Amino acid sequence: MTTTTTFLSLAPAQAFAGFRKTAVQFECPVSEGDKTLEITLEVARIFLSAEGEGTKLLLEASNDGNLQMMRDVLSEQLKGYGVIPDWQGAKPAARPANQTLVTIDKVDRLSPSYMRVTMSGDQLARFGTGGFHFRLLFGPEGAGWPFVDEHGVTQWPGGTAAWHKPVYTTRSIEIDGEAARIEFDVFRHEGGTVTEWCDQVRPGTEMVIMGPGGSGKVNRAGWQGFIGDETAVPVIKRFLELLPEDTRGEAVLFVPERGDIQDLARPAGVSLRWVMREDGETPLQALDKLPIPDADRYVFFAAEKVEALAARAALLERGLDKSESIAATYWIAEKELAEA
């Protein structure tokens, strides 16, 4: 575990109320004493204590990368109170602890609609644990990479909004000490930033990635259903190959062409159905057909935002609670704000 602290020029009552409200919003466990407030997250712990007319904040995380991530998140939230925290123990660094320099080794055409990118780096081994996902960082031309300022907070040259940070799934990782080699798959679509990058990038190009992110956990329910559009194929591939061998269920994956169909590793009890877009079926229709049992179940749905929101409502209507399902937005129609 690693920690950092800061003093907030906020009255304890105001600070406690603000943090409590956020914790409730994100359903994080909260414990409170007369002059203390503790919030437990999956990768960190926030501890507030009254100190005179102000508030001391201690942040504890499982590793330096998660500590940097939480420090940045909290610093952004505290701006709303007019507070710029000065994190103690956080020294200015050439690169934030949750960001890693990589070298692109090769880019291959996996199928008509997918590319496979291979990258390597001296500090990539940590991506073997702690989450399946990472972000590629694309900044303004000539801006340089993000850095840590004197307060311990990540600064983004040109402003955070100027950076494109699409999320991808680690397909495979080969670890050698602290170094590693990672493969990830990219769905090609016209006008996509990463599609164009894949067509132009050359071996030896340096990039920075951020992460890992996500829980890094595979659900253990006896029956599992997976429905994903083109952008979700890489992550569902990863889930399927990590499922316990006795898992039962069904996976339905949408792709543009028959040449995109792959033979995916999965438990014998999990059926796999590929749907061509030209067939006219939609992910929501596939969800409606999914034969979900009454117990010991889990459903993963990922697609465009409008479909994901509709899927979330449909799953609740079918009686699945939040622990039994997830409906994830992997992109937003028209705007193309995310790729997976």
Side-chain angles (χ1 to χ4, degrees), residues 63-69 71 93 95-100 126 148 154 211:
N63 55 54
D64 289 340
N66 287 329
L67 190 72
Q68 182 68 60
M69 175 190 68
R71 197 160 52 213
R95 186 163 295 112
N98 59 339
Q99 297 183 17
T100 304
R126 64 189 178 85
V148 178
T154 300

Side-chain angles (χ1 to χ4, degrees), residues 225-228 232 235-236 239 298-302 324-328 330:
F226 299 88
I227 295 177
V235 69
I236 292 178
F239 284 144
Y298 178 76
V299 175
F300 178 88
F301 180 101
E324 296 178 313
S325 67
I326 184 170
Y330 268 40

Side-chain angles (χ1 to χ4, degrees), residues 284 287-288 292 294 297 309-322 324-325:
L284 286 172
L287 178 61
D288 188 54
I292 305 172
D294 294 332
R297 60 197 182 170
L309 292 173
R312 195 171 303 161
L315 289 164
L316 288 172
E317 188 174 339
R318 293 179 70 171
L320 283 83
D321 62 33
K322 291 183 179 180
E324 296 178 313
S325 67

Side-chain angles (χ1 to χ4, degrees), residues 3 53 124 145 158 170 172 182 206 215 270 279:
T3 64
E53 296 182 356
L124 274 183
W145 298 115
T170 298
S172 65
I182 288 176
E206 289 187 334
S215 69
V270 177
D279 295 341

Side-chain angles (χ1 to χ4, degrees), residues 3 15 24 70 76 95 102 111 130 137 146 153 158 161 208 218 294-295 308 310 321 334:
T3 64
V24 171
M70 290 302 305
E76 185 64 28
R95 186 163 295 112
V102 301
S111 72
L137 302 186
V153 179
V208 168
V218 175
D294 294 332
D321 62 33
E334 304 291 335

